[in-house]
Amino acid sequence: MRHRVKTKSFHRPKEQREALFVNLAIALIENGRIETTLPKAKALRPFIEKLITLAKKETVAARRLLNARLRNNTKAATKLFKEIAPLYKERNGGYTRIYKLDKRRRGDDTQMAIIELVDYPFED
């Protein structure tokens, strides 16, 4: 039974699952928008929103904690503090948006989705 199990395992051990979310979060921070599977996008949303909320605090402790959660990727942490967090100073949550795509992945027919940062200035 799945009582009290809140997270999807994605058929990976805990360390690999955490590394997956860190890598997806770094890609989302660097690009503002990524294309992934729908279950991964839904699982990534709370992870990235907690990081953005932490970055809004602008304290040394928050910076160190964020750097640790992003596995010492200082480039992504700096961008999160200097560019992304100021965009959401007045917003209390809901920093990401998920779009379901009509296309499905060819290999396993998985539903694809785009997860993006709300109000992010894209260079399209």
Side-chain angles (χ1 to χ4, degrees):
M1 287 187 231
R2 289 187 48 88
H3 296 306
R4 297 176 57 101
V5 178
K6 292 183 179 182
T7 59
K8 283 185 164 255
S9 68
F10 294 108
H11 302 291
R12 290 176 167 89
K14 182 181 180 214
E15 293 82 16
Q16 290 179 14
R17 194 169 51 247
E18 288 174 353
L20 171 74
F21 290 140
V22 168
N23 289 331
L24 285 172
I26 290 170
L28 183 61
I29 291 166
E30 289 175 352
N31 301 315
R33 174 188 298 153
I34 57 171
E35 183 176 326
T36 184
T37 63
L38 184 62
K40 286 179 187 174
K42 286 182 176 180
L44 177 64
R45 175 181 264 173
F47 183 79
I48 193 73
E49 295 211 359
K50 288 174 188 172
L51 294 180
I52 294 171
T53 303
L54 186 64
K56 285 169 48 175
K57 293 182 182 176
E58 295 182 3
T59 63
V60 175
R63 186 175 292 269
R64 288 177 179 165
L65 191 56
L66 188 70
N67 208 12
R69 289 191 182 157
L70 290 177
R71 308 265 171 106
N72 294 323
N73 189 326
T74 54
K75 181 181 173 187
T78 303
K79 183 171 182 177
L80 194 57
F81 267 100
K82 291 188 177 181
E83 295 178 27
I84 296 173
L87 291 174
Y88 304 116
K89 273 295 183 192
E90 302 300 320
R91 187 183 279 263
N92 291 328
Y95 313 118
T96 57
R97 178 183 298 133
I98 296 176
Y99 293 113
K100 293 180 185 177
L101 298 177
D102 289 335
K103 70 177 188 176
R104 298 176 80 82
R105 192 161 59 189
R106 184 173 180 193
D108 57 359
D109 200 39
T110 302
Q111 172 100 34
M112 299 300 287
I114 291 177
I115 182 168
E116 69 178 15
L117 297 172
V118 177
D119 299 334
Y120 188 77
F122 294 107
E123 295 89 21
D124 288 340

